[in-house]
Amino acid sequence: MTNTPRQQPEQQAPPAQKLQVRYAKRGRARFTSHRDFHRALERALRRAGVPMAYSSGYNPHQRISFSNASPTGAATEAEYLELALREVVEPDAVRAALDAALPEGMDILEVVPSPPGGIADRLNASIWEIRVAGLPRAMLEQAVAALLAAESVEVERMTKTGMRTFDARAAIIDLTVTADDTLRLVSLHGTPLVRPDDVLQALARADESFAPADPPLLTRLAQGDWDGTRIVGPFEPRPTT
């Protein structure tokens, strides 16, 4: 017997264009996991006829890069990804075709040409809306005041490497009660990432009377770069120096 050298896989050409995409998950689509959304997006890209670039190697796949996806169960108006294409196309045509090909509740909001650098570097903070039913507004305000007054509040979360303890208070830029049942959270992205459910756990630890009867409804309203006063969206123009 002779050993036949394994044929090397075809090397793909560099992308002709990269596009950045802002998308939303609304209604029942908020229960879609990141993996399920990825599969739905790949199918939609094929149905929409988007000329995707593929990776090299023995198992080529569409070149899609995700950035800081929201947790399963959270609605969102500000998720981002990047597509690498083998042909140059009109971004708004991709937006319309891809939006029409995705299931209800998964909506493509903006598509723009990718500027130099990765989008992840421009996503270091988020604004979340947290709707907490069944608690008086005074109780919400009391819990928020207790959390903000604390220097640190440790919470626990199960991760891939086991149970992890970390300070949720350190990530909070701002936390306010905006309506009788609604909180507005502005938080920094760090390692580990502090999520809205971690902040809810921190509220309960800061004030034992904070005990929502039903799971709160989480919605990411914005994501971008915290400039010290506000969140600058990744598609907003950057000042030139």
Side-chain angles (χ1 to χ4, degrees), residues 70-147:
S70 61
T72 302
T76 177
E77 295 293 319
E79 301 300 287
Y80 293 90
L81 58 85
E82 186 172 70
L83 304 175
L85 277 60
R86 67 175 183 272
E87 300 173 10
V88 176
V89 298
E90 174 58 41
D92 198 55
V94 172
R95 184 205 61 75
L98 189 54
D99 188 54
L102 279 167
E104 182 179 357
M106 301 179 186
D107 300 315
I108 304 299
L109 306 180
E110 294 181 83
V111 178
V112 302
S114 296
I119 195 171
D121 295 336
R122 301 193 299 279
L123 301 176
N124 64 29
S126 290
I127 299 175
W128 289 90
E129 178 184 85
I130 305 173
R131 296 188 62 187
V132 184
L135 294 180
R137 178 169 184 150
M139 187 175 293
L140 296 182
E141 292 173 340
Q142 176 180 299
V144 167
L147 175 55

Side-chain angles (χ1 to χ4, degrees), residues 19-210:
L19 298 176
Q20 290 178 353
V21 179
R22 179 168 74 95
Y23 67 96
K25 290 197 298 182
R26 298 163 169 161
R28 294 185 60 83
R30 71 182 188 273
F31 298 110
T32 304
S33 70
H34 177 63
R35 180 175 295 181
D36 288 340
F37 177 81
H38 194 161
R39 286 196 289 260
L41 177 66
E42 289 180 327
R43 291 193 295 267
L45 287 164
R46 289 191 288 269
R47 286 197 295 268
V50 178
M52 293 296 297
Y54 281 76
S55 64
S56 299
Y58 290 103
N59 297 294
H61 57 269
Q62 295 176 339
R63 294 186 58 173
I64 306 170
S65 299
F66 289 90
S67 299
N68 191 31
S70 61
T72 302
T76 177
E77 295 293 319
E79 301 300 287
Y80 293 90
L81 58 85
E82 186 172 70
L83 304 175
L85 277 60
R86 67 175 183 272
E87 300 173 10
V88 176
V89 298
E90 174 58 41
D92 198 55
V94 172
R95 184 205 61 75
L98 189 54
D99 188 54
L102 279 167
E104 182 179 357
M106 301 179 186
D107 300 315
I108 304 299
L109 306 180
E110 294 181 83
V111 178
V112 302
S114 296
I119 195 171
D121 295 336
R122 301 193 299 279
L123 301 176
N124 64 29
S126 290
I127 299 175
W128 289 90
E129 178 184 85
I130 305 173
R131 296 188 62 187
V132 184
L135 294 180
R137 178 169 184 150
M139 187 175 293
L140 296 182
E141 292 173 340
Q142 176 180 299
V144 167
L147 175 55
L148 295 181
E151 291 187 6
S152 67
V153 178
E154 291 192 337
V155 299
E156 295 180 335
R157 188 203 308 153
M158 181 61 70
T159 68
K160 293 179 180 179
T161 58
M163 187 66 72
R164 188 164 184 180
T165 301
F166 53 93
D167 180 14
R169 174 64 184 91
I172 299 173
I173 299 172
D174 187 45
L175 182 62
T176 54
V177 180
T178 59
D180 287 347
D181 64 349
T182 305
L183 305 174
R184 179 181 182 271
L185 167 68
V186 185
S187 60
L188 289 171
H189 302 167
T191 304
L193 178 67
V194 174
R195 307 183 309 200
D197 50 322
D198 299 320
V199 173
L200 290 166
Q201 186 184 158
L203 284 166
R205 294 200 171 190
D207 183 345
E208 293 181 356
S209 65
F210 182 83

